[in-house]
């Protein structure tokens, strides 16, 4: 009973009714529909429209309006589902923006009541204060929602502590498509009798559920595998009398096909405050699987496994290369976590488990990680597995499709032998990892999904894989659900009789079959609605950037995002500041990547590079490069934005901001002819207001002062060091025209380090602001001019020290992307380094005495490309107590925060974490920030002045 087509006229009437009757956001435009056309799976279905409800009343009214118009409905969480259950031709309800509160948390009762859009880590952080946690924690825990977890019956590494999401849900407030609103949970016989006696719709529904359970009880008991990770199918076993007629738990994992969840009451469990991580090395992944079950019985809090193919691919992709050094010798590994109330007790558990391993035979290699930071490093390796295996340089893309089957843990090793043999027979490859403590195996496989033969092979493989897992007493899904990827194969697992029971269960809750139709039961076929498929033929435009990591193919670029949604997290790292501020999918890296994919596909978004939907989505992109550093697949939205704008404005006049801010080097150089006059005008109230109005600068901003010192003249006039190692210092526009004291300090520091400083020739600018406005042809010419001017120094191997991280990123990133075949470009990229990196790596004898505390903030480009490890190590080597901040983007991002239309957003981003962290820091700690825009943000926010590293180091030489 799949939904019939829903035409534009019907959609328009539906949207009009919704706009009149709800307070939430109603988005039926093509751009919004394109945003929600895919999840993290292989599937694509363009929705009718999107509703972002603000209140529970909005949800009730939306369902009522959809019922009046006969529109299918899909409730969506974080959109990270891997089986296709999160996309449909339906009205999508996105709870994540507004309905995301923890309603109540009771540490005594160990319960939490939450709205469906709440992020798991928010709940865990609130519970951890009381040494409690919600045990299921998928790798997407920083951004997935409880509503989505309930829909998928999610699990994660720590499910060994307390089971699946279903095992940790106490009650649900649900709404049926028919409008029935009720709270469901455990229903002991007296309560069931009272409900029946009360009569009404609830009694009728419960009566049908009870009759269904009674009718199929024998089949349920016989065919439901007794394993910890049975996620496939509906949880009809929860309706059995011995389980307590758990109606809420029967709905967990129903993937939005039965009801809409309005609120959930969760069970919390004790969270051991002290943990250790025992890492075991094995000769192969099957041998690791053989020992998983024995280890689980030792009281573990998590037990994960992965193979050497994953490690090899991570190294090839440049992911977590330093963290991988923590692994002991082996070609497969188990991460075994033990938790206790004291460090000694946790360590004792690990030691005892190690002693009991392989009695009478050789024990695996091992390493015990007790430091929390080291444990976190390996957990990041494990949690990056999906992204790390999707886009490995030089290899075919990998896809989901058979990525989370589960077997009894005692049979895991043998299952892995059979499964890897099946992969080999089909000529597929895939890195194996997963929740080995509960027998769940993850793998992305390099299917070929654009030809009829490749798709047929994919389908045949999935069928054989299903038979293989069932032969070992397992479940088709052990975490990610059935959706469309596995639902076709459910009859092999449950048989025709139970499949009929599943249909009846859905019909009891959704008699019109309007809730997420075509998923789980009466499903669309596994190869229907593929995101690629035999008709996949994206546009192949000529581009300015060459995208060497994607074979120069912008279509492949648009496939880089796999949808896991790391850009939607609210803490850690830099990406994605605009999403953190808005909570809106269109302003996430994933949303923008999805729109670019749809733009090239040309169906929903049909106006190509001229698309306003894509332009508007990119408008709040700060081009911070946070995604390039934080995204597990290296999505580089800053480059994609520049590429889009270059084509979007081709043959058209760019906006005023592009001419003023994008060409700042030109205007600043003119201003330097009369800096005192310009400064007087820019600081005096009447003229400053006029200047800001003309330039589109926010009235709240203070215009920067132009330099009154010419650094070149100053350097030429002073006594210079005649000997020493020559170093080429890049004199960038910002430090030349606005903060010459930084350049002066850097020259003094480099000379103190024994260097002879050579300034870059006049008239050169890296063109950093040009990229923000799509001036890519001009940017390329600028780089070619730089290469020509610096060719002797480049070929002589002179280090290029760049003081401004945004400028350094041009040489370290854009240069190789625009001119990947130019050998001088490649040489210059390798010779470019920050002042801190140069002093730490090339000047070990430089050792002025420093003391005190430093708070180090890395510019977003710096964090994305190189990090601030060299700067931190240098300050610590010189005697400072240096703390590196991890509080996100400053929000200024070049000219972004100066512009009137972005001022509020800029301040909101800064207040998300960075400015509060600076205010909370000890008063005596010096704030160090190499980025000009970062220092401006700190200064204009009035928190405390920030120094460039050069200025801090110059103090030591006085």
């Amino acid at each position: 009973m799949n939904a019939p087509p829903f035409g534009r006229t019907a959609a328009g009437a539906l949207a009009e009714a919704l706009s009149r009757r709800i307070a939430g956001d109603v988005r039926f435009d093509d751009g919004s529909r394109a945003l929600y056309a895919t999840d993290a799976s292989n599937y694509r279905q363009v929705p009718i429209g999107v509703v972002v409800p603000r209140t529970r009343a909005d949800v009730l009214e939306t369902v009522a309006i959809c019922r009046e118009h006969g529109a299918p409905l899909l409730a969506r969480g974080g959109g990270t589902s891997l089986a296709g259950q999160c996309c449909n031709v339906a009205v999508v309800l996105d709870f994540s923006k507004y309905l995301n509160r923890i309603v109540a948390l009771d540490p005594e009762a160990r319960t939490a009541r939450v709205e469906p859009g709440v992020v798991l880590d928010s709940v865990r952080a609130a519970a951890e204060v009381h040494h409690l946690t919600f045990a299921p924690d998928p790798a997407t825990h920083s951004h997935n929602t409880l509503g989505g977890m309930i829909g998928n019956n999610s699990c994660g590494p720590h499910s060994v502590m307390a089971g699946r999401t279903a095992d940790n849900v106490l009650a649900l407030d649900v709404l049926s498509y028919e409008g029935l609103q009720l709270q469901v949970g455990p229903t002991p016989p007296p309560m069931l009798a009272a409900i029946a006696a009360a009569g009404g719709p609830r009694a009728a529904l419960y009566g049908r559920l009870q009759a269904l359970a009674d009718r199929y009880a024998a089949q349920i008991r016989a065919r439901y595998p007794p394993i910890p990770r049975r996620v496939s199918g509906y949880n009809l076993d929860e309706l059995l009398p011995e389980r307590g007629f758990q109606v809420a738990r029967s709905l967990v994992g129903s993937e939005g096909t039965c009801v809409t969840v309005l609120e959930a009451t969760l069970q919390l469990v004790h969270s051991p405050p002290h943990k250790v991580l025992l890492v075991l090395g094995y000769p192969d992944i099957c041998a690791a699987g053989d020992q998983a079950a024995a280890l689980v019985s030792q009281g573990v809090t998590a037990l994960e496994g992965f193979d050497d193919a994953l490690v090899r691919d991570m190294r090839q992709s440049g992911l977590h290369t330093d963290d991988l050094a923590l692994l002991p010798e082996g070609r497969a590994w188990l991460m075994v976590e033990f938790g206790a109330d004291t460090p000694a007790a946790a360590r004792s558990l690990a030691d005892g488990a190690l002693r009991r391993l392989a009695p009478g035979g050789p024990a695996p290699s091992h390493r015990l990680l007790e430091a929390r930071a080291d444990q976190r490093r390996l957990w990041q390796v494990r949690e990056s597995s999906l992204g790390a295996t999707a886009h490995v340089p030089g290899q075919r893309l990998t896809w989901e499709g058979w990525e989370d089957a589960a077997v009894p843990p005692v049979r895991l090793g043998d299952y892995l032998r059979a499964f890897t043999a099946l992969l080999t027979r089909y000529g597929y490859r895939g890195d194996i990892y997963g929740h080995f403590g509960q027998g769940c195996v993850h793998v992305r496989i390099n299917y070929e999904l654009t030809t009829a033969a490749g798709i047929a092979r994919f389908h045949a493989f999935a069928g054989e894989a299903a038979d293989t897992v069932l032969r070992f007493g397992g479940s088709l899904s052990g975490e990610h659900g059935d959706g469309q990827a596995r639902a076709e194969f459910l009859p092999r697992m449950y048989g025709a009789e139970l499949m009929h029971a599943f249909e009846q269960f859905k019909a009891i809750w959704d008699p019109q079959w309007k809730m997420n139709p075509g998923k789980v039961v009466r499903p669309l076929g596994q190869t229907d609605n593929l995101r690629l498929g035999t008709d996949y033929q994206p546009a192949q435009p000529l581009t300015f950037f060459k995208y060497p990591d994607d074979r120069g193919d912008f279509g492949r670029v648009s496939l880089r995002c796999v949808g896991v949604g790391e850009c939607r997290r609210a803490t850690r790292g830099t990406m994605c500041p605009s999403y953190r501020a808005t909570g809106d999918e269109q302003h996430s890296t994933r949303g923008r990547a999805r729109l670019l994919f749809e733009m090239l596909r040309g169906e929903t978004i049909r106006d190509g590079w001229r698309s306003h939907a894509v332009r508007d989505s990119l408008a709040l992109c700060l081009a911070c490069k946070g995604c390039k550093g934080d995204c597990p697949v290296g999505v580089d939205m800053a480059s994609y934005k520049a590429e889009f704008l270059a084509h979007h404005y081709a043959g058209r006049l760019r906006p005023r901001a592009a001419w003023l801010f994008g060409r700042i080097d030109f205007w600043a150089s003119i201003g330097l002819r009369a800096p005192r006059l310009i400064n007087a005008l820019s600081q005096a109230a009447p003229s400053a207001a006029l200047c800001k109005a003309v330039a589109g600068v926010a009235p709240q901003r203070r215009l920067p002062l132009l330099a009154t010192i010419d650094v070149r003249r100053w350097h030429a006039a002073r006594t210079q060091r005649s000997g020493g190692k020559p170093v080429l210092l890049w004199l960038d526009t910002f430090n030349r025209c606005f903060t010459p004291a930084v350049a002066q300090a850097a020259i003094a520091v480099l000379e103190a380090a024994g260097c002879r400083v050579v300034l870059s020739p006049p008239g050169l600018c890296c063109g950093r602001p040009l990229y923000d406005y799509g001036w890519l042809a001009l940017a390329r010419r600028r780089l070619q001019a730089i290469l020509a001017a610096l060719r002797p120094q480049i070929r002589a191997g002179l280090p290029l020290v760049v003081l401004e991280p945004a400028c350094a990123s041009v040489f370290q990133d854009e240069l190789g992307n625009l001119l990947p075949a130019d050998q001088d470009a490649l040489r210059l990229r390798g010779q470019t380094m920050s002042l801190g990196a140069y002093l730490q790596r090339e000047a070990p004898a430089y050792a002025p005495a420093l003391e005190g505390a430093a708070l180090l903030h890395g510019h977003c480009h710096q964090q994305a490309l190189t990090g601030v490890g060299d700067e931190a190590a240098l300050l610590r080597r010189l005697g400072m107590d240096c703390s590196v901040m991890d509080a996100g983007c400053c929000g200024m991002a070049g000219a972004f925060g100066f512009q009137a239309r972005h001022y509020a957003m800029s301040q909101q981003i800064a207040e998300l974490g960075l400015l509060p962290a600076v205010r909370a820091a000890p008063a005596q700690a010096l704030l160090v920030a190499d980025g000009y825009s970062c220092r401006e943000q700190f200064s204009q926010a009035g928190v405390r002045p920030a120094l460039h590293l050069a200025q801090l180091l110059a103090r030591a030489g006085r």
Side-chain angles (χ1 to χ4, degrees):
M1 281 185 135
N2 297 325
F6 208 85
R8 280 187 172 271
T9 301
L14 175 59
E16 194 277 330
L18 287 164
S19 299
R20 273 190 295 106
R21 292 164 56 179
I22 72 168
D25 305 339
V26 178
R27 305 174 179 179
F28 279 53
D29 60 282
D30 288 343
S32 296
R33 295 168 62 236
L35 278 171
Y36 291 81
T38 60
D39 46 17
S41 73
N42 292 335
Y43 300 97
R44 174 182 178 271
Q45 289 177 277
V46 181
I48 298 167
V50 179
V51 172
V52 186
R54 290 179 179 268
T55 63
R56 178 184 285 214
D58 276 352
V59 181
L60 301 180
E61 192 67 13
T62 297
V63 173
I65 294 168
C66 285
R67 185 171 64 251
E68 292 167 10
H69 290 254
L73 194 69
L74 166 59
R76 170 168 156 145
T80 61
S81 294
L82 287 159
Q85 60 267 56
C86 222
C87 54
N88 213 324
V89 183
V91 173
V92 173
L93 274 170
D94 183 349
F95 290 92
S96 63
K97 183 171 183 176
Y98 301 120
L99 292 174
N100 53 20
R101 297 180 306 130
I102 300 172
V103 179
L105 193 149
D106 185 342
E108 296 300 320
R110 294 189 172 187
T111 61
R113 284 196 298 122
V114 301
E115 293 178 327
V118 70
V119 169
L120 172 59
D121 269 3
S122 299
V123 178
R124 294 205 306 165
E128 200 63 53
V129 174
H130 309 285
H131 298 302
L132 299 172
T133 192
F134 186 70
D137 61 335
T140 53
H141 54 82
S142 66
H143 53 281
N144 67 14
T145 68
L146 263 297
M149 291 182 67
I150 290 165
N152 289 347
N153 198 5
S154 299
C155 303
H158 291 93
S159 290
V160 295
M161 294 169 58
R164 308 160 301 168
T165 296
D167 304 312
N168 293 274
V169 167
L170 300 175
L172 295 174
D173 289 3
V174 300
L175 174 68
S176 75
Y177 190 82
E178 302 300 307
L180 178 62
Q181 184 181 350
L182 68 163
Q183 186 179 79
V184 296
T187 321
M191 182 184 292
L192 196 56
I195 290 172
R202 183 189 187 101
L205 185 144
Y206 272 53
R208 291 196 292 272
L209 291 174
Q210 189 175 23
L212 178 71
D214 290 344
R215 188 179 315 126
Y216 293 100
Q219 278 285 305
I220 294 170
R221 293 185 182 108
R223 299 206 63 149
Y224 273 58
I227 62 174
R229 285 296 187 97
R230 197 278 309 153
V231 170
S232 279
Y234 289 142
N235 295 336
L236 300 186
D237 54 332
E238 296 289 354
L239 298 177
L240 296 176
E242 62 265 30
R243 301 293 284 267
F245 201 72
Q246 296 268 7
V247 179
R249 292 180 178 179
S250 74
L251 288 168
V252 175
S254 56
E255 303 180 12
T257 61
C258 295
V259 295
T260 298
V261 174
L262 303 172
E263 190 175 289
T265 303
L266 311 175
Q267 170 185 287
L268 304 176
V269 298
H270 176 61
S271 176
H274 299 282
K275 297 183 176 72
V276 298
L277 192 61
L278 177 62
V279 190
L280 304 172
Y282 294 88
D284 60 62
I285 194 66
C286 303
D290 288 334
Q291 285 199 326
L295 282 161
V296 170
S297 65
Q298 306 301 313
V300 304
T301 53
L303 202 167
E304 302 292 287
F306 54 91
D307 66 6
D308 64 334
L310 174 63
V311 170
R312 185 171 58 249
D313 285 348
M314 281 194 170
R315 287 197 172 110
Q316 192 166 343
S317 300
L319 288 172
H320 301 295
T321 50
D322 293 339
D323 302 333
L324 295 172
L326 293 171
L327 295 173
E329 185 180 349
R331 298 189 63 184
W333 296 269
L334 294 180
M335 293 171 53
V336 193
E337 184 187 82
F338 296 90
D341 291 332
T342 66
R347 187 169 53 250
S348 177
L349 287 171
D351 291 341
L354 190 59
R355 284 194 304 270
R356 286 186 286 272
L357 277 176
S365 63
H366 66 277
R367 177 171 289 176
L368 184 64
L369 303 180
E370 298 184 68
R372 192 177 295 269
D374 287 342
Q375 294 178 46
R376 182 63 212 155
R377 287 169 64 190
L378 267 196
W379 277 116
Q380 287 177 333
V381 169
R382 169 61 189 85
E383 291 171 2
S384 299
S385 300
L386 189 154
T389 61
H391 285 262
V392 180
Q395 296 181 17
R396 199 163 74 193
L397 302 183
T398 62
W399 304 94
E400 68 88 11
W402 193 261
E403 83 298 327
D404 74 322
V407 298
V410 294
R411 306 191 71 183
L412 178 58
D414 289 337
Y415 167 69
L416 286 170
R417 291 179 182 90
F419 180 67
T420 53
L422 182 64
L423 284 173
T424 300
R425 183 154 56 83
Y426 271 83
Y428 289 145
R429 73 172 299 275
D431 303 348
I432 291 177
Y433 56 97
H435 312 294
F436 280 24
Q438 294 189 314
C440 181
V441 177
H442 293 319
V443 58
R444 287 178 68 90
I445 299 171
N446 58 340
Y447 306 119
E448 202 291 295
L449 297 178
T450 60
T451 65
I455 293 169
R457 190 170 183 78
F458 159 61
H459 187 251
F461 170 83
E464 287 202 51
D467 293 338
T468 302
V469 76
L470 296 177
R471 192 168 73 245
F472 285 89
S475 172
L476 306 184
S477 173
E479 178 150 35
H480 298 148
D482 300 313
Q484 196 172 333
R486 282 171 287 279
E488 176 187 326
F489 305 110
L490 284 175
R492 304 188 190 198
M493 179 174 174
Y494 289 109
E497 194 171 350
L498 277 182
M499 292 307 299
H500 187 53
F502 288 169
E503 292 190 9
Q504 292 177 65
F505 181 76
K506 175 175 170 62
I508 288 170
W509 290 103
D510 179 27
Q512 296 189 54
W513 288 67
K514 295 294 187 181
M515 299 293 292
N516 203 11
K519 316 293 178 177
V520 186
V521 290
R522 298 186 186 174
L524 296 163
Q526 190 212 26
T527 59
D528 293 336
N529 304 319
L530 289 174
R531 184 148 54 106
L532 300 186
T534 55
D535 61 347
Y536 176 64
Q537 187 63 46
Q540 295 186 331
L542 292 174
T543 57
F544 290 91
F545 286 122
K546 302 308 178 187
Y547 306 104
D549 292 339
D550 289 294
R551 304 173 186 172
D553 181 354
F554 199 68
R556 187 179 170 96
V557 167
S558 75
L559 291 175
R560 182 165 282 275
C561 175
V562 295
V564 296
E566 277 285 309
C567 48
R568 289 170 55 97
R569 68 190 184 202
T571 59
R572 291 190 296 108
T574 304
M575 75 170 182
C576 174
S578 53
Y579 176 78
R580 290 186 187 184
T582 65
D584 203 316
E585 178 73 15
Q586 73 167 321
H587 298 305
S588 69
T589 304
R590 181 180 71 178
R592 294 170 179 133
R594 292 291 190 245
L595 287 176
L596 289 170
F597 170 83
E598 293 290 335
M599 179 191 82
L600 292 184
R601 193 176 181 101
E603 295 172 10
T604 308
I605 295 178
R606 293 176 290 276
D607 43 359
W609 295 115
R610 301 298 197 201
S611 169
H612 285 221
V614 179
R615 183 200 64 191
D616 293 347
S617 177
L618 290 167
L620 294 185
C621 171
L622 282 74
C624 67
K625 293 185 185 286
C627 48
K628 180 158 188 169
D630 291 353
C631 173
V633 291
V635 168
D636 181 10
M637 196 51 62
S639 294
Y640 309 162
K641 175 183 179 179
E643 186 75 59
F644 174 83
L645 292 177
H647 296 275
H648 185 75
Y649 287 113
R652 295 197 291 181
L653 187 65
R654 280 175 169 79
R656 178 178 52 180
W659 292 93
L660 293 175
F661 298 116
R663 308 295 292 273
I664 187 66
D665 63 306
F666 174 78
W667 300 111
S669 295
I670 289 179
L672 287 182
R673 296 175 182 176
R676 289 179 174 81
L677 173 62
I678 300 298
N679 288 341
L681 292 172
S682 71
Q683 303 305 307
S687 53
L690 177 61
C691 290
K692 285 187 270 191
V694 170
V697 171
Q700 300 91 332
R701 290 295 185 195
R702 181 178 65 252
L703 292 172
L705 289 168
L706 284 167
T708 56
I709 296 173
D710 186 320
V711 176
R712 295 186 189 282
R713 290 182 182 176
W714 170 85
H715 182 54
R718 61 196 288 272
T719 302
Q720 299 177 29
R721 186 183 181 95
S722 58
K725 182 179 178 180
V727 171
L728 184 62
L729 181 66
W730 181 259
L731 191 56
D732 62 89
T733 295
F734 302 105
N735 288 313
R736 178 175 68 88
C737 299
F738 299 107
T739 54
V742 170
Q744 291 173 304
I747 292 170
V749 167
L750 286 168
E751 290 184 346
C755 299
R756 178 169 57 85
V757 178
V758 179
L759 295 182
S760 57
L764 298 180
C765 175
C766 71
R768 172 75 269 166
L770 297 174
Y771 298 90
D772 296 340
Y773 302 97
W775 296 96
L776 293 188
L778 178 57
R780 184 170 54 203
R781 292 196 296 273
R782 290 275 180 93
L783 292 177
Q784 289 168 333
I786 290 170
L787 293 176
L790 298 184
R791 187 161 287 123
Q793 293 94 332
I794 293 171
R795 294 184 178 180
L798 261 66
L800 179 69
V801 173
V802 183
L803 302 175
E804 171 56 46
C807 298
S809 73
V810 172
F811 298 127
Q812 293 166 335
D813 189 11
E814 280 87 1
L815 178 62
N817 203 350
L818 282 171
L819 302 168
D822 190 308
Q823 292 303 306
D824 284 327
L826 300 180
R827 294 182 186 106
L828 182 58
R829 183 172 63 180
Q831 292 165 214
T832 299
M833 58 185 74
S834 68
L835 175 65
Y838 178 81
L839 293 174
Q840 179 64 9
R841 299 180 203 172
E842 306 293 333
Y846 176 72
L850 290 174
E851 59 183 20
L855 197 63
L856 180 60
H857 169 68
H859 184 283
C860 291
H861 290 192
Q862 193 175 13
Q863 294 280 30
L865 298 177
T866 62
V868 292
D870 285 315
E871 286 73 13
L874 174 67
L875 290 176
R876 290 167 187 153
R877 175 166 69 84
L878 300 183
M880 295 203 78
D881 177 13
C882 179
S883 300
V884 178
M885 301 182 69
D886 182 13
C889 177
C890 75
M892 187 66 88
F896 181 91
F898 273 97
Q899 295 180 57
R901 62 195 180 111
H902 293 150
Y903 174 78
M905 176 69 64
S906 170
Q907 295 307 104
Q908 188 178 352
I909 290 169
E911 292 291 352
L912 288 173
L914 188 58
L915 293 185
V918 174
R919 294 187 190 106
Q924 68 274 17
L926 296 173
L927 181 57
V928 181
D930 281 1
Y932 170 78
S933 59
C934 305
R935 297 195 303 275
E936 274 296 308
Q937 183 75 304
F938 292 134
S939 172
Q940 302 217 15
V943 285
R944 70 176 76 185
L947 299 170
H948 190 285
L949 177 65
Q951 294 172 300
L952 174 60
L953 296 176
R955 290 184 174 189
R958 293 174 185 168

